[in-house]
Amino acid sequence: MTGNHQTLALLLFSAFVAVTLGITTWVSRNRHGSAEEFYAGGRLFSPMENGFAISGDYMSAASFLGVTGLISLYGYDGLLYVVGFLVAWLVVLFLIAELVRNCGRFTFADVVAARMNERPVRIAAGTSSVTVSVLYLVAQMVGAGSLVALLLGGSSEAARNWTVIGVGALMVIYVSLGGMRATTWIQIVKAVLLLSGSIALTVLVLVRFHGDVNELLRSAAERSGHGDAFLAPGLKYGGDWTARFDFISLGLALVLGTAGLPHILSRFYTVPTARAARRSVVWSIGLIGGFYLMTIVLGFGAAAIVGPEAVRGANAAGNTAVPLLALDLGGGANSAGGTVLFAVVAAIAFATILAVVAGITLASSASVAHDLYASMRRRHAKPRSEVAVARTAAVGIGVVAIALGLLARDLNVAFLVGLAFAVAASANLPVLLYSLFWRSFTTRGAVWAVYGGLVPALLLVLLSPVVSGSPDSLFPRVDFQYFPLQNPGLVSIPLGFLSGWLGTVTSAEPPDEAKHAETEVRSLTGAGAV
């Protein structure tokens, strides 16, 4: 990239950082320091505001960079992520949103612990929440590193590493100073920027092909080198039965994982009522649905205009397809239009990463303070001390995410998020659904459901081609690959549900009928909800 690209992109990104730090500073001066203010923003956001914030939380670097990159490289098979990410919201809308808002207070562990022995359940749920959050954060860090490598021509490994560290430092500042209220407004600003940028690029792609979508697809297929196979299933996931099972595993993880993501569930506590939570989801489905439709156009547009070889040349995993597409649409590398459009898209992508890491860090630090710390020191943990612990936890989580982000820098960000979704669907979703809908569910069942999904999911990832045994793995020079699938969801999700059932039926503890009845009435009517 030229010096103009670098300078303009960095100026625009610096402007976004300045605005968001201004929001954070303003909120920090006006906050009350209470747990409700820090974790839930005082529950003062409207459904529309929260809908934009949810969509801002959800439309991450995986969506903007990773999904479009996969479509540009693999065509039809890349669409799996679009379908999975969007269909997942139907599960959230019909099964989760209102009930979680009525039963919980700050974290999803509140819902599970309402009718159980609190301490072991909160420790298990808190551990799972932090694990999912860190995996999700790693994807955002990898996206940041890929962008900087493209911006600097891939020549400065040190600059790429320092960018990951800088993103981690900023997210700690956002969470520590501003809490949920600042994070929410950052998400809203980012969602507006991302949607505006996506609309502009989509229009430019369609104008390039005179509004003829068929011509766009034909050009993408020709440029891909795969011909019609680019527009048919099987290019990435159809080679053998292992690839097909990987396809099913990833689909399960994407569709079921959203309902178990801690940073998404925590957003339902920022609105005043369950009805507002449901309306927030309706807003977010509209915004997210429109965005993912645009990513299809952008992915095939990158294949047709930039070409898969150029995309792979800039980043082997395809994470830089959208900035390269913007550069070409604006007029090319040496044009003023290309410089401006590339810089704007790069700045929006940076803004996307910063906003998402802030939301995830807040959710994970809340789990550490509200679930883990408060469970271990129940008698001494006052709301204000919980907030202090949450701010400290944000620092520790940031350090871990930075370290893992530097390690996994060559993996596709959408693929990394798929792993986080698999762990969320394996560990969090079973215990959440059992707690809400199974009258006989017990404490042992809850603990077993969490660990019975979490441990196998992590173990299978460690033993998969992602970590070792292939040239594209994290440790290509060693081989301890014993599990053939890249995504563990096909095995670990059923294990999570099975473990919860087994723990319940073997438990000597009788289910608390009174607490279940109270939880059921509260979840369905909102009576007694915070």
Side-chain angles (χ1 to χ4, degrees):
M1 298 297 110
T2 65
N4 290 335
H5 293 84
Q6 296 177 27
T7 304
L8 187 56
L10 291 174
L11 283 174
L12 291 172
F13 176 59
S14 299
F16 177 81
V17 171
V19 169
T20 52
L21 285 176
I23 292 172
T24 304
T25 303
W26 176 76
V27 168
S28 67
R29 289 178 178 176
N30 291 276
R31 62 180 170 80
H32 307 296
S34 67
E36 186 174 21
E37 173 71 26
F38 184 81
Y39 294 141
R43 309 188 202 280
L44 299 174
F45 292 99
S46 69
M48 185 183 74
E49 291 169 344
N50 199 43
F52 269 89
I54 290 173
S55 61
D57 243 336
Y58 198 68
M59 297 183 301
S60 65
S63 305
F64 193 51
L65 302 177
V67 171
T68 50
L70 286 172
I71 294 173
S72 71
L73 296 179
Y74 301 106
Y76 184 96
D77 278 10
L79 295 179
L80 171 64
Y81 285 88
V82 173
V83 176
F85 283 149
L86 186 55
V87 171
W89 280 98
L90 298 179
V91 179
V92 177
L93 177 62
F94 292 118
L95 291 179
I96 298 296
E98 280 190 86
L99 306 185
V100 166
R101 174 62 188 84
N102 283 335
C103 290
R105 189 164 175 238
F106 300 130
T107 66
F108 100 91
D110 291 335
V111 180
V112 183
R115 47 181 289 223
M116 308 291 174
N117 182 1
E118 282 202 35
R119 192 169 188 271
V121 170
R122 284 193 181 275
I123 291 173
T127 302
S128 173
S129 295
V130 172
T131 304
V132 172
S133 298
V134 168
L135 283 173
Y136 211 110
L137 281 171
V138 170
Q140 312 310 313
M141 300 298 189
V142 170
S146 299
L147 267 177
V148 168
L150 176 66
L151 195 61
L152 301 180
S155 59
S156 178
E157 200 66 40
R160 186 175 177 176
N161 293 342
W162 277 108
T163 300
V164 172
I165 295 170
V167 169
L170 281 171
M171 79 183 187
V172 171
I173 293 171
Y174 291 145
V175 172
S176 300
L177 292 181
M180 179 59 83
R181 189 169 297 190
T183 300
T184 300
W185 282 111
I186 292 169
Q187 300 288 12
I188 292 171
V189 172
K190 167 256 174 153
V192 172
L193 288 174
L194 183 58
L195 288 168
S196 301
S198 300
I199 290 170
L201 288 178
T202 301
V203 169
L204 289 173
V205 170
L206 294 176
V207 167
R208 176 72 67 94
F209 292 93
H210 309 290
D212 190 342
V213 177
N214 287 331
E215 180 61 29
L216 166 63
L217 296 177
R218 278 195 297 269
S219 299
E222 291 173 7
R223 189 81 183 269
S224 70
H226 298 287
D228 291 340
F230 191 71
L231 305 178
L235 194 60
K236 180 175 174 62
Y237 294 108
D240 52 26
W241 278 106
T242 300
R244 294 173 189 177
F245 279 124
D246 228 340
F247 179 90
I248 297 170
S249 186
L250 179 62
L252 277 175
L254 296 180
V255 171
L256 299 178
T258 299
L261 292 177
H263 67 290
I264 297 297
L265 295 175
S266 65
R267 293 235 61 92
F268 299 135
Y269 301 124
T270 63
V271 289
T273 64
R275 183 169 180 267
R278 185 179 69 249
R279 290 174 61 197
S280 297
V281 175
V282 173
W283 269 99
S284 63
I285 288 176
L287 295 168
I288 292 167
F291 171 75
Y292 279 119
L293 287 175
M294 290 186 285
T295 62
I296 297 174
V297 176
L298 298 180
F300 283 111
I305 296 171
V306 180
E309 288 187 10
V311 171
R312 279 196 180 93
N315 181 269
N319 293 330
T320 53
V322 171
L324 289 173
L325 175 64
L327 185 65
D328 202 297
L329 289 172
N334 298 314
S335 66
T339 300
V340 171
L341 199 56
F342 173 87
V344 168
V345 169
I348 290 174
F350 271 123
T352 295
I353 291 166
L354 273 184
V356 172
V357 297
I360 301 168
T361 306
L362 178 61
S364 53
S365 61
S367 292
V368 171
H370 186 63
D371 298 327
L372 299 177
Y373 172 76
S375 295
M376 295 174 185
R377 298 189 60 189
R378 174 60 59 190
R379 296 180 182 177
H380 307 289
K382 299 177 182 178
R384 193 174 295 271
S385 67
E386 270 190 32
V387 172
V389 171
R391 292 194 176 103
T392 304
V395 178
I397 291 164
V399 170
V400 173
I402 288 168
L404 292 176
L406 294 174
L407 183 65
R409 59 193 173 195
D410 294 322
L411 296 179
N412 181 277
V413 289
F415 167 74
L416 287 170
V417 165
L419 294 182
F421 272 61
V423 177
S426 304
N428 293 352
L429 184 62
V431 71
L432 196 56
L433 292 181
Y434 279 150
S435 297
L436 290 172
F437 299 110
W438 190 12
R439 182 180 298 273
S440 301
F441 198 43
T442 63
T443 299
R444 177 189 281 185
V447 174
W448 282 27
V450 174
Y451 292 128
L454 179 64
V455 174
L458 294 178
L459 186 62
L460 291 176
V461 169
L462 289 175
L463 299 178
S464 75
V466 177
V467 176
S468 71
S470 70
D472 299 326
S473 60
L474 291 180
F475 303 105
R477 297 180 182 177
V478 295
D479 187 0
F480 45 89
Q481 173 198 334
Y482 298 101
F483 181 66
L485 305 184
Q486 292 188 334
N487 191 291
L490 186 62
V491 176
S492 59
I493 295 172
L495 280 177
F497 282 98
L498 179 62
S499 299
W501 172 81
L502 190 61
T504 298
V505 298
T506 59
S507 175
E509 169 198 359
D512 194 323
E513 297 285 343
K515 281 190 176 180
H516 175 267
E518 179 184 340
T519 302
E520 188 174 39
V521 170
R522 182 171 165 182
S523 67
L524 295 175
T525 67
V530 178

